Amino acid sequence: EWTKEDGGALELYPSVSDGTPALIPTKTVVPIFNTMAMFRVVPGYSFHAVQEVYADKPRMSLQGWFHGPKPPEPEAAGKATVNQLLASNGSDSEPFTPLDTSQISEKPEPLPSADIDALGKYLNPVYLKPDAVAQIRSKFEEESS
């Protein structure tokens, strides 16, 4: 059985202004075996996220989108988060500078204990173990462009 302390809950956020979600969800739904959560997504108005899983047990879910009989109006579609990001062209952030990979070693040093302590406040400790860090790094290298 899944509990609130296990993390992995669905979070539903209202908007505080056009295209901006609230910081605190109005509804949190803990995963329950063999159930389905359905909610309406309105571009630029409704927002959702899934919490990090804290438990050291598997959580599997299927997700999908049901599209209504007609697409959203062009004005609403422009408010979709992905469209807002594309339209910004990074104007509200620092210019992109590619990472200089020449300084990255093939065999990284283990994380210092101070870093593990600091990160442990936000991440499941299983992700901070050396073998997990190596697997995560490998996956990023394989799947990143």
Side-chain angles (χ1 to χ4, degrees):
E1 179 144 333
W2 207 265
T3 67
K4 179 181 175 181
E5 291 74 26
D6 293 331
L10 170 66
E11 299 174 323
L12 302 175
Y13 296 83
S15 63
V16 292
S17 64
D18 203 24
T20 304
L23 296 176
I24 298 174
T26 53
K27 182 72 175 170
T28 302
V29 182
V30 175
I32 299 173
F33 179 74
N34 210 22
T35 61
M36 181 187 322
M38 294 182 71
F39 53 94
R40 184 171 184 224
V41 175
V42 179
Y45 181 74
S46 59
F47 302 90
H48 64 281
V50 175
Q51 293 174 339
E52 178 180 356
V53 174
Y54 301 113
D56 190 15
K57 57 185 178 182
R59 176 189 185 276
M60 183 172 41
S61 67
L62 301 175
Q63 63 183 12
W65 289 262
F66 172 76
H67 295 274
K70 61 181 185 174
E73 298 296 325
E75 181 182 312
K79 294 178 183 176
T81 305
V82 67
N83 290 335
Q84 290 183 33
L85 291 171
L86 291 171
S88 76
N89 281 335
S91 60
D92 58 349
S93 62
E94 296 292 320
F96 176 74
T97 305
L99 176 66
D100 177 9
T101 58
S102 66
Q103 301 299 315
I104 298 175
S105 70
E106 288 297 316
K107 298 237 179 195
E109 296 291 321
L111 290 172
S113 61
D115 289 353
I116 291 173
D117 292 342
L119 291 169
K121 295 176 186 174
Y122 307 101
L123 298 173
N124 186 324
V126 75
Y127 296 127
L128 301 174
K129 294 179 180 177
D131 60 331
V133 171
Q135 288 178 349
I136 293 167
R137 178 182 177 172
S138 176
K139 198 69 166 169
F140 269 99
E141 289 173 351
E142 288 171 19
E143 296 184 5
S144 296
S145 56

